[in-house]
Amino acid sequence: MLATIVACILLAFVMGSLARMLRLPALIGYIAAGILIGPYLPGAVAERGMVSAMAEIGVALLLFSIGLHFRAADLLAVWRVAVPGAVAQIAVAGLAGALVGQALLGLAPGMSFAFGLALAISSTAVATKSLEERGKLGGAAGRLALGWLVMQDLVVVFALVLLPAVAGGAGGGAASMLWGLGQAALSLAAFVLLMVVVGRRALPWALTRVARGGSRELFTLAVLAAALGVAAIASSLFGVSFALGAFFAGVLLGESDLGHQAAAEATPLTRIFSAIFFVSVGLLLDLGQVGGTPLAALAATLSVILAIGGSVLALLLLFGVPARTALLVAAGLSQIGEFSFLLTEVSIRQGLLPEGVRGPVLMAAIGSIIATPLLLKAAEAVAPALERRIAARAARRPGGAATRQAPPPVPWPLLENHAIVVGAGRVGATIIGALRRHHLPLIVMEEDRAAAERLTAEGIPAIWGDATRPEVLAAAHPERARILILALPGALEAREVLRLARQANPAIQTVVRSHSETETSWLEAEAEVGLVMMGEREIALGMADFAMQRLGIAASTAQATVDVLRRRRMPDAVG
């Protein structure tokens, strides 16, 4: 176990770094790491079962993190397109895969159905990771892709019931098949009902109690317990996939004000385990199996890329989705992965597929996974030309140009040119009071749960969480803010928040609290902060001003002296 964990993490880092040096996606390096430690090369150290288990956790945590960033309303908004679109896409891609199975592998009709289905289900882990790396997961393309993937996952749930019946394992023919599908539907409905009725209240309530205790370690454990616990319940009691159960847990927590901090706590582990998922893909690759059916492997890879990508693109354009969004979603979904492996293994165990199909399926997965980042890059390059072509065609139709879709709703809070106050202690509370006195727009970020709840109760927009985490700071929309006020007591934390805010909005104005002359000098010279306030110095200047006036110096003269003293250290603070 120890050798497997060390080998996975160490080689994933080494090969991922090498891939980035070669300007390739890191996931290609992760797959190469899996091939190196796999059982099909000399000197193998990895235990496949353990890596597969860690990969399943990785997919579940990835889906949980994605669920935290989405709202049920976002998903419902795309069902009109995602439900019929995903079903039609699976039918088209499944038929293309079945033809490959019949023509090149000699599979019978029932076998080719299972083979085609395995080549029709996109990889949730790869699709979401690829879109996230390009900053597209939170936009229209991300919402559509996620709705599409969730629908595919539901199809997999029913397919796992249907495949044994097709193989004859369930007995009783069509009646037994319908009974099995009915049971699967009822189990899924029962799980969703339990999540909506109980989980929607119980999960946020439990995590709120943990957050009020003030222990970051316990809160992190509580977040992981919620994600994996709900996933385990979904899988063991309701027959829902482990990853889909974790996704539902994320969606429910994401609707509460705990979502941003929960995402920040889950993100590091999510990144580690999702990398291990790609290592597990390489671990499964048997070059001997691929070499036995090279033509079928190549045809299966092309079938996945062309049938899934082409059908998704055509269907989205048919539904009136903008060309750029349609291209990004199609490119992001043009691969297969974890669920295809699962369907293949279940079909082999049921005797529905021969073991020789593993090679083509694995090659199709690896080839399409490697191609996904390249397809996304190509989609962004092709998008302007396709948009112009569609606009020109629409303009030639009777009725004029194509109608423009309404922009997606902007998440809460809808503020522009607002102030972000980080820290609501004694200093932050005074600043908040001053801003509220003049009814200025502001968002407060506070790490203490009880303090954040008090602010919310007073009608002040407050976000609970660690502002040094990108997921938490993003909730305050620094890209739309005018000024960032850092009332944090820690210098390192203030620097990190400042760096993240500048990444989102280089023009944001800044006011920072400092505690030493060295820190003040660095902030003024290196960070180019608009105003740096060092508490001890301001106290000294205030006391000096009071003393000078009591000793007979005119107030204006005393103030001029204070300004001179302040200007020596803060040349940019005073005009």
Side-chain angles (χ1 to χ4, degrees), residues 237 288 506:
L237 298 183

Side-chain angles (χ1 to χ4, degrees), residues 2 25 108 117-118 161 180 183 222 247-248 303-304 341 370 381:
L2 185 61
L117 187 60
V161 176
Q183 283 184 315
F247 171 76
F248 276 112
S303 172
V304 168
F341 304 148
I370 292 173

Side-chain angles (χ1 to χ4, degrees), residues 32-67:
I35 296 174
L36 289 177
I37 62 175
Y40 304 109
L41 290 180
V45 296
E47 203 282 310
R48 184 191 293 180
M50 184 179 177
V51 178
S52 297
M54 290 193 294
E56 190 171 4
I57 292 174
V59 175
L61 289 177
L62 181 62
L63 266 290
F64 174 73
S65 297
I66 293 166

